[in-house]
Amino acid sequence: MPLALLEFSGVRNLSPTRLTVHPRLNLVVGPNASGKTSLLESIHLLGTGKSFRTNRLEKVLHHDSDSLTVFGRCQIGTEEVALGFQRRDGENEIHVDGEKVDQLAALAQRLPLQIISPDTHFSFLKHARFRRSAIDWGLFHVEPEFFGLWSRYQRQLKQRNAALKQPRMAADAWDEALAETGEQIQKQRSQYLKRLKRYIDQYARQLLHDASMELRLRSGWRQGESLAQALNGDSARDREQGFTHSGPHRADLELLLGGFDARQEASQGQWKLMTLVLRLAQLEDFVDETGRDCILLLDDLAAELDAQRRARVMSLLASLPLQIFATATEQSHLDTSAWDDLKVFHVEQGNITD
């Protein structure tokens, strides 16, 4: 079970709260603007150190508080792990089993989670960086060496970009290392998407009425060239504009529906279903590859899908070893017949009861 205990204070409109949660299904029920999504946000903060609603954590602070704190106890295999995240005076503080750590990755490694919400559907449609991060989420959690590889690429990219801004510095001194690391990232991303295909096919058949869905990765540099060739060809433009135009940091993930770019051809409803198919595929791949449980934060599914599709999604989720936190304005909006047991939390004006 990823999360057994959740405790938080200073989070938006929520009162300081301590919750013992269900290992499988937790429903969070209440009127609009009562604080349901803020409860999911607190879990997201504990697992990532970030909000899925804003890039500025100061906006997450309760209006009467100068800090926010989230604490949780997780079960990883046979071990219980304590996680803590605090935001105060513009700084993050992270604790694992009482020990202060520096990297947010320490939280993500111990509390893997995915979020499906109206906001994430929109972000996934509009911004390539969100589509890239979807791929990298799977690699971070499944391929042990990926985080180190990605971190090395970010350092090399930063050094090359700094050199590009200095007229007398030779930015091409970084090209060989950057190209080698970038090609490795591209290879791992491609292999990951190939592995996802069978899961994509499975969920697309069940949610998209047998319409074909494919994933296509754009590497971030010109097709038919190596990254080293692209960096060399871009050298004058990179120097003039002061940043690196080609590399996996410019990659994009295309979702194809019936062979066409879904961002251009799919309806809003189809796009939401396709992003849901991708998330479900990633969750099942994570479980199969690691043998671990995962948390799914499911915000306002009733606003996204009709009753028939909601019931189908809930049935599919019940077959996966996930710990789910799902919000709804009414408990009847989510079909829980596939679960033997669950827990319901009621939220009203920032107060949570069970």
Side-chain angles (χ1 to χ4, degrees):
M1 176 174 63
L3 192 61
L5 175 73
L6 176 68
E7 189 171 353
F8 51 82
S9 62
V11 178
R12 295 201 186 260
N13 69 324
L14 297 177
S15 301
T17 304
R18 180 185 176 94
L19 302 174
T20 301
V21 300
H22 195 277
R24 293 282 280 122
L25 180 60
N26 298 272
L27 297 187
V28 184
V29 179
N32 290 328
S34 60
K36 302 187 301 298
T37 302
S38 298
L39 173 55
L40 301 193
E41 190 174 24
S42 69
I43 301 171
H44 198 272
L45 285 166
L46 184 64
T48 67
K50 300 177 182 179
S51 166
F52 59 85
R53 303 165 77 184
T54 177
N55 291 326
R56 295 184 57 204
L57 288 187
E58 278 62 38
K59 291 185 175 182
V60 185
L61 267 64
H62 191 285
H63 60 83
D64 286 334
S65 179
D66 61 357
S67 67
L68 67 82
T69 302
V70 188
F71 173 82
R73 291 196 180 277
C74 317
Q75 194 73 31
I76 303 176
T78 59
E79 297 183 16
E80 186 179 74
V81 178
L83 300 179
F85 175 81
Q86 184 176 66
R87 179 76 171 187
R88 180 190 293 272
D89 298 328
E91 299 291 332
N92 297 334
E93 191 166 307
I94 305 157
H95 289 88
V96 176
D97 282 336
E99 298 291 328
K100 188 175 179 179
V101 297
D102 295 328
Q103 291 187 323
L104 292 174
L107 298 175
Q109 288 166 346
R110 291 164 175 83
L111 196 68
L113 58 81
Q114 281 273 23
I115 170 73
I116 297 173
S117 75
D119 289 339
T120 58
H121 288 314
F122 178 80
S123 298
F124 203 79
L125 175 64
K126 295 297 183 181
H127 305 292
R129 65 186 176 92
F130 284 96
R131 295 189 289 274
R132 284 194 300 273
S133 68
I135 309 172
D136 293 346
W137 179 91
L139 288 168
F140 172 81
H141 285 292
V142 172
E143 303 295 341
E145 72 280 7
F146 180 77
F147 179 67
L149 189 67
W150 181 88
S151 298
R152 184 164 72 249
Y153 179 83
Q154 293 299 318
R155 289 193 301 271
Q156 292 167 344
L157 180 65
K158 184 178 180 180
Q159 290 163 334
R160 186 178 192 270
N161 285 343
L164 287 169
K165 293 178 174 67
Q166 301 297 324
R168 296 183 180 179
M169 291 186 68
D172 58 2
W174 300 103
D175 286 8
E176 182 178 354
L178 189 71
E180 181 181 352
T181 309
E183 292 278 9
Q184 291 179 60
I185 290 174
Q186 167 66 8
K187 182 179 179 180
Q188 289 206 7
R189 285 173 172 172
S190 296
Q191 291 173 341
Y192 176 62
L193 293 185
K194 287 179 182 178
R195 194 172 72 234
L196 281 186
K197 185 180 185 306
R198 68 186 180 98
Y199 303 109
I200 294 289
D201 292 345
Q202 167 191 330
Y203 288 114
R205 283 195 299 271
Q206 298 180 76
L207 294 176
L208 293 170
H209 298 296
D210 294 323
S212 65
M213 174 176 165
E214 300 173 58
L215 305 179
R216 183 164 62 194
L217 179 63
R218 298 290 188 184
S219 65
W221 61 90
R222 289 179 293 276
Q223 191 172 4
E225 290 186 347
S226 67
L227 180 51
Q229 290 171 326
L231 291 172
N232 182 62
D234 286 343
S235 58
R237 180 173 61 150
D238 288 355
R239 172 69 71 180
E240 180 182 352
Q241 299 186 21
F243 66 91
T244 302
H245 286 79
S246 295
H249 63 289
R250 304 295 296 273
D252 198 0
L253 176 65
E254 291 185 352
L255 277 63
L256 305 180
L257 183 65
F260 297 97
D261 185 348
R263 284 181 293 159
Q264 306 297 326
E265 301 296 332
S267 67
Q268 187 176 26
Q270 287 174 319
W271 177 259
K272 291 176 180 179
L273 286 170
M274 291 179 76
T275 58
L276 185 57
V277 166
L278 174 59
R279 296 301 191 193
L280 290 173
Q282 289 189 283
L283 289 167
E284 186 164 0
D285 175 75
F286 170 84
V287 170
D288 287 350
E289 292 293 319
T290 68
R292 295 179 60 190
D293 294 344
C294 186
I295 291 176
L296 174 61
L297 307 177
L298 195 59
D299 191 26
D300 203 8
L301 189 66
E304 301 294 298
L305 304 174
D306 60 37
Q308 183 178 5
R309 285 196 174 96
R310 287 201 305 272
R312 187 59 183 154
V313 169
M314 294 298 286
S315 176
L316 291 171
L317 291 174
S319 68
L320 296 173
L322 304 174
Q323 184 180 34
I324 299 171
F325 295 82
T327 69
T329 54
E330 300 287 344
Q331 186 173 342
S332 60
H333 289 173
L334 295 176
D335 182 353
T336 60
S337 59
W339 276 271
D340 295 328
D341 192 22
L342 57 91
K343 195 163 189 176
V344 180
F345 297 98
H346 297 275
V347 187
E348 189 165 353
Q349 296 183 347
N351 297 306
I352 303 172
T353 57
D354 57 13

